[in-house]
Amino acid sequence: MDFALTPEQQRIQARARRFAQEEVAPVARQADESGVFPAHLVPRLAELGLLAGPLEQRYGGSGMDFVSYALLCEELGRVDSSVRGFLTVHASLVALCIQEWGTEEQKQRYLPLLARGEWIGCYALTEAQAGSDAASMQTLAKDEGDHFLLSGEKIWITNGLSARLAIVFATQAPEKRHKGICAFLVETDTPGFVRHPMPGKELGHRASEHARITLEGCRVPKSALLGEPGEGFKVAMSALDRGRLGVAAGAVGIAQGCLDACIVYARERRQFGQRIGDFQMLQATLADMAASVDAARLLTYRAAWLKDQGLPTTRATSIAKLFATEAAMKAASEAVLLHGNRGYSNEYPVERFYRDIKGLQIYEGTSHIQRVIIARDLLGKEK
Ligand code: CAA
């Protein structure tokens, strides 16, 4: 068993860390306060070969392995979850999904545009009444001979306001549940594809774009089908298998970001005539946090490694997402406490980490759903 990163993985980690620390971190607080996504970072990600990292080079990607991709998500998550969330939806839920399921024509048309960041991608699965139970979706795909008519509503669609391409999931027959679902590649300037910002102010990820999309008789050609009719649920689930790896790695980054902040603060803050880090109670907090970060990281790298070997990863990825997001939630809570009043204000980033991490426990399948996936894999289907 080899725990060392390869020279190439180390190079990608260093590049991602420099970009995250020098270009993402300085604008993270402002983006969070203004609620505006720092879109100028997208061409930079593309220039650095990080925007569509795991995509094959022939489609404009960097062909990086999944361990490198996890390192990249971790470095971004360590400073700004909104930017990490943007990337994992664009690169993983959309670009890699097209690479897996698309026809050669679809790949040639869309992947280079996505890799260069000229087009942004979004993944439209969730509906008001179909969140955890994704197969209960009501958005309809009506077969009209040479085209489909899509009608319905999707919510909480990350990148949904600026995306030029959406993977839209819709059903031909709601009563067939997952067997009726189709996936479509919809160009967002198609008439009938209408987007709106989500109402209300969100707890975290305030710089992320979250859209409500209404499909009002949106007409798409048969050639827009991604995979075969009825295969859409498998398209969605296989994309989430990869997407959840990026979320797990992002959570490792948040947990590490909390630990980094706590170490600095525990060294510099003095109370009762000594550094607060010299109190055993805080030392225990830091030690527990470090142990959880390590465990979360190892589970995440294992899931990435399994993907690189082409081995089944559904259970390992759900374990990584479950453990890493729960560990980061605890780390963020402890980090705010350790910083006292300062941690409660946005003077320090731990307050933002604390708000953002809740989102990671929810999106791309809640912690409850990860437990369902793990338990079903343990128990198998009833014979
Ligand atoms: N890969 C490929 N196929 C899979 C699969 C996977 N990981 N998981 C299941 N399938 C297949 C099954 O094999 C089955 O196919 P067969 O009928 O041929 O056997 C079919 O899909 C149905 O599977 P289930 O019976 O397990 O389906 P279910 O309805 O019980 O649901 C679930 C399973 C795991 C709970 C699923 O509904 C789920 O993951 N829910 C959470 C949804 C989710 O994560 N939503 C987040 C959306 S994206 C987002 O958060 C924000 C954003 O902007 C991106």
Side-chain angles (χ1 to χ4, degrees):
M1 192 174 291
D2 186 356
F3 285 97
L5 298 177
T6 64
E8 179 59 9
Q9 289 163 349
Q10 288 177 36
R11 269 194 291 280
I12 291 169
Q13 184 185 42
R15 201 185 321 150
R17 184 169 297 168
R18 202 173 325 114
F19 171 70
Q21 299 293 336
E22 293 176 6
E23 302 187 47
V24 183
V27 298
R29 179 170 161 183
Q30 161 66 15
D32 179 67
E33 280 179 5
S34 64
V36 178
F37 183 76
H40 67 279
L41 297 174
V42 177
R44 284 292 293 144
L45 277 162
E47 267 168 42
L48 293 167
L50 302 175
L51 185 61
L55 198 66
E56 289 172 28
Q57 287 175 336
R58 65 192 163 124
Y59 298 122
S62 305
M64 68 173 67
D65 60 16
F66 279 100
V67 171
S68 303
Y69 175 67
L71 295 167
L72 164 62
C73 292
E74 182 181 333
E75 292 303 327
L76 292 177
R78 197 168 168 181
V79 296
D80 189 344
S81 256
S82 293
V83 174
R84 198 276 313 146
F86 163 85
L87 181 86
T88 49
V89 170
H90 176 82
S92 182
L93 288 185
V94 179
L96 291 181
C97 182
I98 296 172
Q99 180 171 275
E100 183 183 355
W101 291 92
T103 61
E104 196 50 39
E105 200 182 335
Q106 289 170 333
K107 294 185 208 183
Q108 297 288 351
R109 171 156 175 72
Y110 296 119
L111 293 180
L113 289 166
L114 294 169
R116 292 196 295 269
E118 287 170 31
W119 282 28
I120 303 302
C122 71
Y123 173 92
L125 178 71
T126 303
E127 300 180 4
Q129 304 307 327
S132 290
D133 184 8
S136 69
M137 70 177 62
Q138 297 296 313
T139 293
L140 287 178
K142 195 159 170 240
D143 190 338
E144 301 244 301
D146 64 341
H147 65 270
F148 284 93
L149 271 189
L150 306 182
S151 40
E153 185 184 68
K154 300 287 178 180
I155 57 169
W156 288 114
I157 308 307
T158 307
N159 302 346
L161 296 175
S162 56
R164 279 282 279 115
L165 182 67
I167 301 186
V168 175
F169 298 91
T171 178
Q172 288 188 284
E175 69 282 1
K176 287 194 186 167
R177 286 188 52 87
H178 72 270
K179 293 200 166 80
I181 295 173
C182 309
F184 297 93
L185 289 169
V186 183
E187 299 187 12
T188 59
D189 58 2
T190 308
F193 186 100
V194 185
R195 48 221 173 151
H196 325 259
M198 287 299 291
K201 190 165 173 126
E202 291 154 34
L203 176 67
H205 292 89
R206 290 190 174 161
S208 291
E209 281 182 3
H210 292 131
R212 178 170 74 86
I213 293 170
T214 51
L215 298 149
E216 302 168 5
C218 181
R219 181 182 160 132
V220 293
K222 283 269 162 84
S223 59
L225 263 172
L226 182 63
E228 297 297 318
E231 252 184 353
F233 195 72
K234 286 193 177 157
V235 174
M237 291 298 119
S238 64
L240 284 168
D241 269 350
R242 275 186 298 265
R244 288 167 184 156
L245 173 69
V247 180
V252 173
I254 292 185
Q256 182 66 54
C258 290
L259 182 59
D260 297 342
C262 287
I263 292 170
V264 171
Y265 196 68
R267 281 189 176 134
E268 73 185 22
R269 174 75 171 159
R270 298 186 72 81
Q271 288 289 273
F272 304 101
Q274 62 180 33
R275 305 187 308 176
I276 61 168
D278 291 330
F279 288 104
Q280 282 192 349
M281 214 183 304
L282 293 197
Q283 289 176 349
T285 299
L286 291 177
D288 287 349
M289 205 185 285
S292 304
V293 174
D294 257 11
R297 178 174 287 125
L298 290 172
L299 287 172
T300 301
Y301 291 1
R302 180 188 64 168
W305 179 86
L306 286 168
K307 282 193 201 308
D308 285 329
Q309 309 311 307
L311 294 168
T313 62
T314 301
R315 189 207 307 183
T317 307
S318 286
I319 287 176
K321 183 186 185 276
L322 173 65
F323 188 89
T325 56
E326 303 275 316
M329 185 73 235
K330 186 151 194 300
S333 175
E334 294 289 357
V336 170
L337 188 60
L338 189 142
H339 283 73
N341 273 335
R342 289 173 177 81
Y344 196 60
S345 89
N346 71 352
E347 190 187 346
Y348 286 78
V350 290
E351 172 264 357
R352 176 163 48 81
F353 294 155
Y354 183 61
R355 288 186 286 108
D356 283 349
I357 183 58
K358 203 71 208 167
L360 280 78
Q361 286 184 307
I362 297 170
Y363 58 59
E364 301 202 27
T366 62
S367 292
H368 301 120
I369 289 297
Q370 303 315 316
R371 289 185 172 97
V372 167
I373 294 169
I374 296 162
R376 282 188 186 179
D377 194 67
L378 290 171
L379 297 168
K381 277 196 175 173
E382 199 177 358
K383 300 221 166 39

